[in-house]
Amino acid sequence: MDPDAVAKAFVEHYYSTFDANRAGLANLYQDASMLTFEGQKIQGSQNIVAKLTSLPFQQCQHSITTVDCQPSGPAGGMLVFVSGNLQLAGEQHALKFSQMFHLMPTPQGSFYVLNDIFRLNYA
């Protein structure tokens, strides 16, 4: 298993799902998962998806600039750090963002998001 390939595939799946159907992200999180969104901590798959689907915009497009990953711990986890641009419908300028995922393996051989930290980058 190539960690860079797994990270790249995860990132493509996550952001294409976010842009098309945020509710579809529910299966990437579990009850123990935590999202910190602009400093606000949210725990559990249902609560995380409720937060993401309640964001004050309907349409957006992520464009990814960088993806960095590292193996994390003996359980086979992975840290994935993403930076990029977020274009909101009707807005002239894209917002810059950074997001960190801590992915953990599932018994089925895939990964779920244990930790997710999102920040807009203001310059």
Side-chain angles (χ1 to χ4, degrees):
M1 174 191 75
D2 173 16
D4 289 319
V6 171
K8 185 175 186 292
F10 168 79
V11 166
E12 287 176 4
H13 174 69
Y14 181 90
Y15 292 107
S16 64
T17 304
F18 190 107
D19 292 351
N21 173 26
R22 279 177 250 171
L25 295 170
N27 63 356
L28 293 178
Y29 296 95
Q30 295 186 359
D31 288 343
S33 299
M34 180 172 275
L35 165 66
T36 300
F37 188 90
E38 290 288 304
Q40 180 189 9
K41 292 179 175 61
I42 300 133
Q43 185 152 16
S45 179
Q46 280 187 303
N47 294 331
I48 291 169
V49 170
K51 172 63 177 178
L52 297 178
T53 55
S54 72
L55 293 173
F57 53 87
Q58 294 303 310
Q59 293 182 306
C60 66
Q61 181 68 46
H62 289 84
S63 85
I64 305 309
T65 308
T66 63
V67 177
D68 297 297
C69 75
Q70 295 179 354
S72 169
M78 204 168 13
L79 291 174
V80 180
F81 183 75
V82 180
S83 66
N85 296 307
L86 174 58
Q87 183 67 53
L88 301 180
E91 294 292 327
Q92 185 177 355
H93 299 290
L95 302 168
K96 295 191 178 307
F97 76 93
S98 298
Q99 193 160 11
M100 191 281 307
F101 298 98
H102 187 194
L103 305 180
M104 294 301 289
T106 66
Q108 299 78 25
S110 63
F111 288 87
Y112 75 95
V113 179
L114 178 61
N115 303 94
D116 177 353
I117 301 173
F118 175 91
R119 277 283 180 186
L120 291 170
N121 300 333
Y122 298 102

